[in-house]
Amino acid sequence: MSQKRVCAALQAAEGAYLSGEELSRSIGITRAAVWKAVEALRRQGYDIEARTGRGYRLRQSPDLLRRETVEAYLSAPRADWEVLESVDSTNSACRRLALEGAEDGTVVMADCQTAGRGRRNRSFQSPAGRGLFLSILWRPGCTPDKLLPLTALSAVAVYRAVERVCGVNLRIKWPNDLVLNGKKLGGILTEMALEGESGLVSHAVVGIGINVHHLPSDFEGQVRDIATSLDMELDGRVCRGKLAAALLEELDYLRGEVLFAPEKWLEPYRTACLNIGQTVQLIRGETWERVEAVAVDGQFGLVVRHENGELETVRSGEVSVRGLYGYAE
């Protein structure tokens, strides 16, 4: 409790110094308790300066991802969502909640994932305090074919949220990678389960990971050369709470207005898709083939032209697409 009160007082001072005595008197705790609270806040990432004869001042607050820091930016209250300090993966948490009967629209966010996953069971690096990791559970009660565009539509939701908060337009590398300035900013993993008797979708989980405060040192292995973050590209700090709120609202709009009318977001996806008109590598298992990406069809499949001139539409999950000379090109 004393930490919150000291933090609130320093924030209210808007960068001015407050003496230990003044904090002690206004909050009603001892000088020693003030010092302990300041040290605890520093361990949480608050940049608090202490100067002899002047006291303490808050130079910068950490970008904490908490329920209250997201709610501050929501345009309306929202039920059925939580923010966790750490989780194995938000998708796994959502799937567990689905089995427990969680409602349509349930959301799990986390500050850190210890076992984040991407497509084809690749790991997704998710250190604490760096990214936005979010999964949403839907119960659409439809046949699986109705959800063919789901991953692509989710990419448009991220595109719209980042544009709202940061004022920049992302590109989308078909089908699910989010790209900024030619490097991977994030990805999407969609999973679903079917009801045994009806064959309808029991639930679908869409997991989204966005690199926000990552530094080059946060990326390991092959990811190091292809990944980036919003801070790295925009030369500044992006508020994760604000971005999370925008993404929540875009995903709710997707569920309510677009999921069964995907044509509403088809043209934005086509415009953002960086593969169109490019020669790419089409990867099926161990087989690589050079093809031309021609278009995105009405179900968000990628239409490609083979070297013999034949056209084929490929779907998310069937193949991977890579550039000829790098991650995006």
Side-chain angles (χ1 to χ4, degrees), residues 180 183-186 211 214 219 226-230 232-233:
L180 183 57
K183 291 196 171 184
K184 183 174 180 177
L185 183 72
N211 302 329
H214 290 66
F219 300 118
I226 66 172
T228 192
S229 69
L230 287 171
M232 288 167 61
E233 298 300 323

Side-chain angles (χ1 to χ4, degrees), residues 44-46 60-66 69 73 111 129-131 212-213 231 237-243:
Q44 295 174 32
Y46 288 88
Q60 186 171 330
S61 298
D63 184 25
L64 299 176
L65 190 65
R66 302 285 189 270
T69 64
Y73 295 101
D111 185 61
R130 298 298 199 205
V212 181
H213 299 315
D231 279 4
R237 290 182 63 82
V238 175
C239 175
R240 288 189 296 165
K242 189 174 185 180
L243 182 58

